[in-house]
Amino acid sequence: MPSQTIQTSAVRGTPDPTSSSRAVPPARIDLGEIDDLRVLDENGEVNEALDPGLPDDELLRVYRAMVLTRKFDIRMLNMQRQGEMGTFAPGFGQEATQIGQVYPLAQRDWYSPSYRSFGAQIWRGWPMDQLFLLWDGFFEGFAPPPDVNDLPFSIVIGSHVPLAVGIAMGIRKKGVEDAVVVCNFGDGASSQGIVSESMNFAAVFKAPCVFVVENNGWAISTKLEQQSGVTELARRGPAFGVPSVRVDGNDILGMIAASTRAVEHARAGHGPYLIEAVTYRMGVHTTADDPKVYRSDDEVRAWEGKCPIRRMERHLTERGLLDAETIETIGTACEQEVLAARESFRKRAIARPEEIFDFVYEELPPELAAQRDEYLRRLGRA
Amino acid sequence: MAQMTMVEALNRALNESMTADDRVCVMGQDIAVNGGVFRVTKGLLDRFGADRVFDTPLAEDGIVGTAVGMAIYGLRPVAEIQFSGFTMQAFDQIEQNMARMRNRSRGKYPISMVMRTPYGGGIRAVEHHSESREAYWAHTPGLKVVIPSGPRNARALLNAAILDPDPVVFYEPKAVYRAFREDVPDEMETLPIGTARIAREGADLTLIAYGAVMRPTLEAAEDLADLHQVDVEVIDLLSIKPMDTETIVNSVTKTGRCVIVHEGPRTCGIAAEIIARLNEHAFEYLLAPIRRVTGFDTHFPYFQVERHYLPDSETIAEAVRETLAWE
Ligand SMILES: Cc1ncc(C[n+]2csc(CCOP(=O)(O)OP(=O)(O)O)c2C)c(N)n1
Ligand SMILES: [Mg+2]
């Protein structure tokens, strides 16, 4: 992306006809330069120079992960509509952003996800039945699996970002391993003060943290232009001394190229990196939301042609790795996997009211133990 | 007279307050085009325009801080925080500026603003969407804290809060938002902040509650009357701070027994403050220890078990019977 300047303009309602400020020309702001990255275009054509060069089996693994993410998403939505699931935030259209941001991570690395990150969570090793539990209101769904270095996903916008930086600072200060941390958040989250604070901390302490801002154009009903004075969010990075790249978030190869570059940079001890993944939320914000109130069908339709899964399908078909039959087989296998997870979820979905008290403290203080005992007595369980 | 839900009644209040005073403006996340995630601000943008009804960036401390600034400049902002769980992001601005600017400026800059926010559990919401932390704000000098319980008082109290010369934290019981309809008079109505309401008269015991738990509390009172011939007086606090000590004390002086209900955690909750006041002003009239029916001192549970956390009419009735049985 070339260096950009913007002009500040007078705000409506300010002019006082007698004020001399009217003669002052608007100040110019130099936004500097950041990279724009895309490997796979909307027609499935590859820019060879930037191609991360994944072997065939990896390409298929990544493709399958995106399909699985979408199958899970659609199943969740159906279950929600049928009353079997709580309020849910679908990720429809953001599959490449999701899988791409965690692709280069190893098991020793960390991930601090937000609530629309289930694709990445599945990739990182969160069992799907657990994610079902989580969205259906069972707190045990939040528990990170024993062998997965991830945080429980964050619902409070932006509040998980400093945790990622803190973990990365710990990695650097202890200096015994070269692990990195990836943290994602939305365009809306970029407005939170704590997100800026976090980028600054990461830069000051050279923390091996990769920030991924998933710019999907909307924060519920608030569009990007209403959210941020600078709509290319990657431009925030350089102001903090954090190298940044803006990538087509619906391009899985571009995402992988960007995240690999960022993770290698952080792993090598050079500090944080910011990736802006430009994507689009194709569906509802959550199942409690009605996007028709605030955005047009035309806008959504314009993004339909940019589907990250179709794009990869076209590319892999061209490479001879997929055909109509294998596409079908993979789709069915993913669907089966999701249905199996649903079965397991249904078996595990048993509410246990006493769990309310289980993890408030290491040891229940006497006053809280008394509350629990009194309550269990009422339930007839003590 | 129209039958309204609480959402509609609050919307009515915003409409009439904005019509009455063009300094009143409404701001927050998703409140303009979307009309708020609960639709409380629906239609305001069309009616009053983007200078008075506007969406903000996603930053709660930014929302409250800039609202305080606008109040300093002489506007009367009504700032919405989408869920009370996210008022925590604004703690700094609420505590340091919203609550104290009058004092810091020695009266030059009174902060006449309202921070509206839906609170409480019972709607199967995800984490952080069900908290009741009114005690934080009641503990903060300089703030007023108001919690309506039904459509009619919600409308009247929101109008009063907007007119109030001091900053008001306005907690809206989201479980009540669409739970029932009530007659709301056509003409503009206000209620004095700091005045409780006797929701049911009775002689045997005083039940005190506010907000969403008024419903199970009244239900318990009716059940006790029907099944046990117990005549309970019910007080709807409405205003947490300032608190209507007189109404509480008069009632307990009459009944001699008291049970207090709230859904926030027990320790240092609002019930503790009420008990302290009764201790100060009605000690010699008490016939039994005062009981509390509250949320546990735990994090608000995830929704599969939330009903175990929330006070229900059975638990309330049991506490009443035990208090009556105390010799
Ligand atoms: C601190 C905080 N404020 C408000 C909310 C309510 N809320 C949930 S999602 C959301 C919009 C987030 O938009 P963005 O960061 O762009 O992420 P996206 O939903 O688009 O993935 C809002 C306002 C919240 N969860 N946390
Ligand atoms: Mg967004």
Side-chain angles (χ1 to χ4, degrees):
Chain A
M1 188 186 307
S3 175
Q4 196 187 328
T5 55
I6 55 174
Q7 298 227 322
T8 57
S9 55
V11 183
R12 192 162 53 92
T14 30
D16 164 0
T18 60
S19 158
S20 61
S21 71
R22 294 187 79 217
V24 178
R28 297 175 73 82
I29 301 167
D30 189 347
L31 290 173
E33 229 170 296
I34 45 164
D35 277 355
D36 245 328
L37 184 61
R38 173 190 279 166
V39 178
L40 195 59
D41 74 14
E42 284 159 36
N43 304 314
E45 301 290 330
V46 168
N47 179 339
E48 305 283 350
L50 299 172
D51 187 0
L54 266 54
D56 292 351
D57 57 338
E58 281 299 287
L59 289 171
L60 284 170
R61 191 160 80 96
V62 162
Y63 166 74
R64 190 185 192 282
M66 292 198 291
V67 174
L68 183 64
T69 301
R70 184 162 296 183
K71 294 283 183 198
F72 179 81
D73 201 341
I74 291 170
R75 179 59 53 190
M76 284 282 280
L77 205 55
N78 284 338
M79 288 164 76
Q80 198 282 335
R81 297 298 189 213
Q82 285 160 16
E84 199 187 351
M85 197 46 70
T87 306
F88 164 63
F92 204 69
Q94 296 179 221
E95 294 85 355
T97 299
Q98 284 288 302
I99 303 301
Q101 64 186 257
V102 285
Y103 177 80
L105 293 185
Q107 200 175 357
R108 68 183 183 287
D109 295 324
W110 291 72
Y111 182 50
S112 178
S114 54
Y115 50 87
R116 213 184 293 284
S117 311
F118 49 87
Q121 288 184 291
I122 296 168
W123 178 273
R124 289 281 293 162
W126 289 70
M128 284 185 285
D129 61 342
Q130 199 184 330
L131 298 179
F132 280 128
L133 281 170
L134 194 167
W135 285 103
D136 197 33
F138 294 90
F139 228 128
E140 64 189 283
F142 270 101
D147 53 348
V148 178
N149 281 346
D150 290 5
L151 300 188
F153 76 55
S154 170
I155 287 174
V156 184
I157 304 295
S159 78
H160 61 304
V161 183
L163 312 184
V165 176
I167 292 167
M169 286 165 62
I171 291 168
R172 184 162 171 98
K173 288 190 181 301
K174 230 173 164 187
V176 294
E177 57 173 3
D178 65 349
V180 302
V181 189
V182 168
C183 173
N184 74 329
F185 51 89
D187 44 292
S190 75
S191 292
Q192 289 284 15
I194 193 64
V195 172
S196 291
E197 293 171 32
S198 299
M199 282 201 265
N200 187 43
F201 268 67
V204 166
F205 292 103
K206 275 199 181 309
C209 183
V210 175
F211 302 100
V212 180
V213 51
E214 293 187 32
N215 179 357
N216 64 5
W218 292 92
I220 309 187
S221 74
T222 306
K223 60 169 178 274
L224 186 60
E225 293 70 25
Q226 191 80 29
Q227 188 69 246
S228 175
V230 173
T231 51
E232 289 156 338
L233 296 172
R235 295 192 185 278
R236 298 261 178 96
F240 292 102
V242 178
S244 305
V245 63
R246 189 165 204 256
V247 55
D248 178 346
N250 285 16
D251 162 12
I252 182 65
L253 299 182
M255 273 304 298
I256 288 174
S259 60
T260 304
R261 183 196 296 179
V263 163
E264 281 172 358
H265 170 94
R267 220 188 274 298
H270 302 313
Y273 211 103
L274 170 65
I275 298 171
E276 177 190 3
V278 182
T279 180
Y280 192 78
R281 192 192 82 215
M282 296 300 290
V284 292
H285 166 70
T286 68
T287 47
D289 171 52
D290 176 12
K292 289 210 184 318
V293 178
Y294 53 81
R295 71 181 187 187
S296 74
D297 289 344
D298 285 349
E299 182 185 312
V300 182
R301 227 170 287 126
W303 279 86
E304 269 164 14
K306 304 185 189 187
C307 172
I309 297 179
R310 294 291 92 74
R311 200 187 288 195
M312 187 62 165
E313 239 161 50
R314 241 172 282 155
H315 172 60
L316 297 185
T317 305
E318 213 137 284
R319 284 181 73 141
L321 294 175
L322 284 179
D323 57 26
E325 200 179 313
T326 42
I327 289 172
E328 172 87 28
T329 314
I330 291 171
T332 311
C334 289
E335 180 68 24
Q336 293 303 329
E337 215 180 301
V338 172
L339 289 175
R342 186 184 64 175
E343 279 323 295
S344 160
F345 150 72
R346 284 176 173 166
K347 290 204 189 82
R348 292 178 65 189
I350 299 159
R352 215 174 46 80
E354 53 272 42
E355 77 182 17
I356 295 174
F357 298 91
D358 285 353
F359 296 103
V360 186
Y361 297 100
E362 164 105 23
E363 209 175 306
L364 225 51
E367 64 206 46
L368 191 50
Q371 289 180 24
R372 184 199 53 194
D373 294 346
E374 155 71 11
Y375 160 71
L376 291 181
R377 184 190 61 71
R378 258 195 286 125
L379 268 186
R381 292 201 189 201
Chain B
M1 199 73 101
Q3 285 267 315
M4 289 188 176
T5 62
M6 186 181 281
V7 164
E8 290 160 355
L10 290 165
N11 184 267
R12 156 82 61 99
L14 291 169
N15 266 292
E16 57 202 6
S17 284
M18 293 187 80
T19 305
D21 183 347
D22 64 10
R23 294 172 303 171
V24 178
C25 52
V26 173
M27 60 195 287
Q29 294 158 8
D30 307 292
I31 59 97
V33 180
N34 203 35
V37 296
F38 289 103
R39 304 293 184 252
V40 172
T41 54
K42 190 176 165 187
L44 297 179
L45 173 64
D46 284 346
R47 184 156 172 206
F48 299 102
D51 275 339
R52 294 181 65 194
V53 181
F54 50 92
D55 287 328
T56 64
L58 206 175
E60 288 75 12
D61 50 351
I63 293 171
V64 174
T66 55
V68 171
M70 289 166 56
I72 291 171
Y73 187 68
L75 296 173
R76 297 197 158 220
V78 180
E80 174 177 306
I81 301 296
Q82 205 163 77
F83 287 87
S84 72
F86 312 133
T87 55
M88 301 310 141
Q89 266 68 8
F91 219 125
D92 171 36
Q93 290 299 332
I94 299 170
E95 166 76 29
Q96 315 295 16
N97 290 323
M98 179 175 162
R100 354 169 36 118
M101 186 50 79
R102 176 189 288 279
N103 190 50
R104 291 181 60 219
S105 66
R106 307 314 295 161
K108 181 170 183 199
Y109 301 129
I111 304 303
S112 182
M113 66 171 277
V114 179
M115 181 180 81
R116 295 182 36 241
T117 190
Y119 86 96
I123 64 157
R124 286 172 59 85
V126 292
E127 202 191 1
H128 307 288
H129 287 65
S130 301
E131 279 65 25
S132 300
R133 291 285 186 271
E134 62 276 14
Y136 286 165
W137 314 126
H139 193 68
T140 301
L143 298 178
K144 295 183 177 177
V145 182
V146 171
I147 308 186
S149 60
R152 183 170 178 175
N153 60 44
R155 180 262 195 135
L157 284 166
L158 183 54
N159 278 330
I162 294 170
L163 289 170
D164 201 277
D166 284 307
V168 178
V169 173
F170 196 85
Y171 255 37
E172 299 169 4
K174 69 174 98 69
V176 181
Y177 264 164
R178 295 176 195 282
F180 62 95
R181 290 176 178 276
E182 205 174 63
D183 277 334
V184 175
D186 293 334
E187 63 280 6
M188 172 120 165
E189 224 181 13
T190 62
L191 271 174
I193 289 174
T195 305
R197 173 179 78 103
I198 310 268
R200 185 186 195 283
E201 287 198 37
D204 298 338
L205 179 144
T206 305
L207 254 176
I208 304 173
Y210 55 87
V213 291
M214 275 312 293
R215 297 183 76 207
T217 301
L218 282 166
E219 213 178 287
E222 293 311 321
D223 288 350
L224 286 161
D226 292 347
L227 304 174
H228 301 277
Q229 290 74 51
V230 172
D231 185 21
V232 168
E233 180 144 298
V234 181
I235 295 179
D236 181 356
L237 220 46
L238 295 177
S239 174
I240 307 301
K241 192 182 191 181
M243 193 184 283
D244 186 351
T245 312
E246 195 184 330
T247 297
I248 297 167
V249 168
N250 286 345
S251 175
V252 176
T253 302
K254 178 176 78 176
T255 62
R257 296 172 203 265
C258 180
V259 172
I260 306 162
V261 188
H262 61 66
E263 67 178 271
R266 178 167 308 175
T267 297
C268 296
I270 301 305
E273 176 60 31
I274 297 173
I275 292 171
R277 291 185 191 211
L278 289 170
N279 201 41
E280 285 159 5
H281 300 291
F283 183 73
E284 62 273 35
Y285 298 93
L286 287 174
L287 302 172
I290 301 168
R291 298 273 312 241
R292 292 180 274 181
V293 181
T294 67
F296 305 121
D297 287 331
T298 65
H299 307 290
F300 193 91
Y302 224 9
F303 61 81
Q304 287 291 347
V305 291
E306 70 177 326
R307 71 189 165 81
H308 294 275
Y309 177 96
L310 294 168
D312 59 18
S313 63
E314 246 174 71
T315 322
I316 298 167
E318 191 180 309
V320 169
R321 286 202 307 276
E322 283 171 10
T323 306
L324 287 168
W326 201 90
E327 305 277 348

